[in-house]
Amino acid sequence: MTAFTEMDVRIGLPGAVLFDGPATRLGAVAEDGGFGLLPNHIDWVTALVPSVLTLTQPGGTERVFGMDEGVLVKTGDRVRIAVRRGVEGADLRSLQATVDAFFDAVEDEERVARAALSRLEADMVRRFAGLRGQP
């Protein structure tokens, strides 16, 4: 059995990588509660809930991320995390403001997209209704 001193962690978003690098400790929250991973932890797969993910890099630097739901897979010294949305904060105190601003912007974008989709659907219904009256 190989003893690892660090983990190779990658946090991926759709279309982007939020973090890619070494870590000596990782803390996250799954559906059944919070947990921690160290380099020699058993292989692990779990669903993540919206929460704060922390990781400690070699040298002791701690990084914090606000995450939406996702999946974590640990195999050997590799940890791969896929989340729908996530942001990194400077520290736990500032993370709340960063998360609030990010998710407010995302909600605004989703609201605009839903309105555009509603207009397209209404236009399509009108066009089909117009076809019904034609021979």
Side-chain angles (χ1 to χ4, degrees):
M1 180 171 133
T2 305
F4 301 111
T5 58
E6 57 187 46
M7 300 173 285
D8 175 32
V9 178
R10 177 176 289 171
I11 302 171
L13 305 169
V17 175
L18 186 58
F19 175 82
D20 188 8
T24 57
R25 182 185 178 290
L26 184 142
V29 181
E31 293 176 341
D32 55 351
F35 65 93
L37 292 178
L38 296 172
N40 291 301
H41 194 283
I42 62 170
D43 290 351
W44 183 263
V45 177
T46 191
L48 300 175
V49 297
S51 60
V52 173
L53 181 140
T54 60
L55 63 88
T56 305
Q57 294 183 286
T61 303
E62 186 169 280
R63 299 184 66 174
V64 294
F65 301 88
M67 305 290 220
D68 201 351
E69 59 193 14
V71 176
L72 179 146
V73 178
K74 181 189 184 299
T75 52
D77 68 334
R78 294 177 52 183
V79 179
R80 298 297 179 251
I81 301 167
V83 294
R84 290 180 351 131
R85 295 179 286 202
V87 293
E88 182 174 7
D91 55 36
L92 279 175
R93 290 178 192 249
S94 66
L95 183 61
Q96 183 65 47
T98 304
V99 167
D100 288 345
F102 177 78
F103 286 112
D104 285 347
V106 168
E107 286 176 13
D108 289 343
E109 291 172 4
E110 289 175 350
R111 192 175 307 114
V112 168
R114 282 192 301 272
L117 184 59
S118 292
R119 286 190 301 275
L120 287 172
E121 289 172 348
D123 184 54
M124 188 170 57
V125 169
R126 278 192 300 276
R127 289 176 187 255
F128 276 125
L131 290 175
R132 192 177 345 178
Q134 296 178 359

